[in-house]
Amino acid sequence: MSLDLSLEEWNFQVVILVQALVGAISENFRMVALCYNEPDWILSFYLEKYVDEDLEEIEDIVCQYTAYQDATLKCKHEVIIGAQGLPAFSDVGRVVYRRRE
């Protein structure tokens, strides 16, 4: 995670991701995190099970998230599926959503 980013830059990206998540989270979502690994913003989605509908929803979330950005934003996403322990907050950048487990 880059320390070169301002709090304003981080907060902007978090707000945009939260807006993209509205109405998209199902009970299968365990956690959604945002990390910056220069030059990319990385969206991490943790799902309990492989569900096609949720994977399609993630594609929509990423599309909506990038639509709010300027053309220079570099963004990647990853999907982690399983019931293994979730990483610690400090290991994933900013946790935007985490269900109670």
Side-chain angles (χ1 to χ4, degrees), residues 17 21 29-37 40-48 50 54-55 57-59 61-63 65-66 74-82 84 86-88 91-95:
L17 181 53
L21 289 171
F29 280 70
R30 299 179 69 209
M31 186 166 78
V32 178
L34 176 66
C35 184
Y36 184 73
N37 189 1
D40 301 309
W41 287 96
I42 302 167
L43 310 176
S44 301
F45 299 90
Y46 294 81
L47 301 177
E48 185 173 358
Y50 183 98
D54 288 332
L55 295 174
E57 197 67 56
I58 287 170
E59 292 300 323
I61 292 166
V62 173
C63 183
Y65 172 78
T66 57
K74 295 189 183 296
C75 174
K76 296 179 180 179
H77 72 281
E78 61 183 356
V79 178
I80 299 94
I81 299 172
Q84 69 275 13
L86 292 170
D91 295 337
V92 293
R94 296 263 177 107
V95 174

Side-chain angles (χ1 to χ4, degrees), residues 11-34:
N11 287 344
F12 177 79
Q13 294 303 324
V14 169
V15 167
I16 295 303
L17 181 53
V18 167
Q19 289 302 300
L21 289 171
V22 170
I25 300 290
S26 75
E27 64 275 355
N28 191 36
F29 280 70
R30 299 179 69 209
M31 186 166 78
V32 178
L34 176 66

